[in-house]
Amino acid sequence: MSDANLDFYNKKETADWLAELPIFAGETAMLDRVRKTPGCRVVDIGCGAGRLYEPILEAGANYSGSDIASGQTSLFKMRHPEADVVVADACNLPWEDAYADVAVLSFHVIEAILPRERRLAALREVRRVLRDEGLLFVSHHVRRRYRPVEQITYFLRNIGRAEFGDLCITGNAATGGITLDGYRTHIPSAWELSKLAKKTGFKRQDRWSFSHSTSHRLSRDLLEQWSAQGS
């Protein structure tokens, strides 16, 4: 994660805003899957201030969370001192092999892991902590419908330094009034996600389309379900 991104997530106002976001339509599908296996272990990677903590517990699961931003986890622990949550990089998760039945990379966490080599490392770590046939839920924007002109412009201005799908966002981007200053993100394509899944031991199984409040009318999000393949 870039310094600008980490600074953004460590702001108290960012943590407060993210903690109050609703459960999105795609995430209800994830919670439905969790309810079918009561007592399962869910790891919430990029958990922020704990937006999914209570819904996952209410679905009958055991919860563990991690986030690289200490500003997020501090608010999480203040609100839920009993929660099992730690500060950790997605490329170096704190859990043992085959620890969890379900992993969650919700609300575009995958897009903030830059560059591609780190996305591969993070997904390999997620596979390590998941049991065989465990489920991973990955949330992301639809590339062709999220700031497509800005994606093209950024790529052309940074040929040799940027991947197509990279963005650097400055200003107010529907973030509860919080100004972004050089926030970097990467919007993956379906082809890229297929390659990432195959290289890291996953099989893409299902997906749900949803939208949320945004200043970009064409914006659409997807939540995908991946299955951890046996070695």
Side-chain angles (χ1 to χ4, degrees), residues 160-178:
R161 301 191 302 275
E163 301 173 80
F164 191 79
D166 283 1
L167 282 171
C168 187
I169 304 171
T170 298
N172 188 319
T175 54
I178 306 162

Side-chain angles (χ1 to χ4, degrees), residues 68-90:
I68 196 172
S70 60
Q72 298 283 331
T73 57
S74 293
L75 179 59
F76 193 158
K77 291 295 287 185
M78 184 177 70
R79 294 185 173 193
H80 304 284
E82 77 289 352
D84 176 19
V85 58
V86 296
V87 177
D89 190 322

Side-chain angles (χ1 to χ4, degrees), residues 26-58:
E27 291 166 341
T28 62
M30 177 270 292
L31 293 169
D32 287 342
R33 295 294 195 277
V34 170
R35 288 188 187 95
K36 293 178 180 178
T37 53
C40 68
R41 168 66 62 184
V42 177
V43 290
D44 184 7
I45 301 159
C47 62
R51 184 176 65 90
L52 292 176
Y53 175 62
E54 290 184 328
I56 287 173
L57 290 185
E58 290 166 2

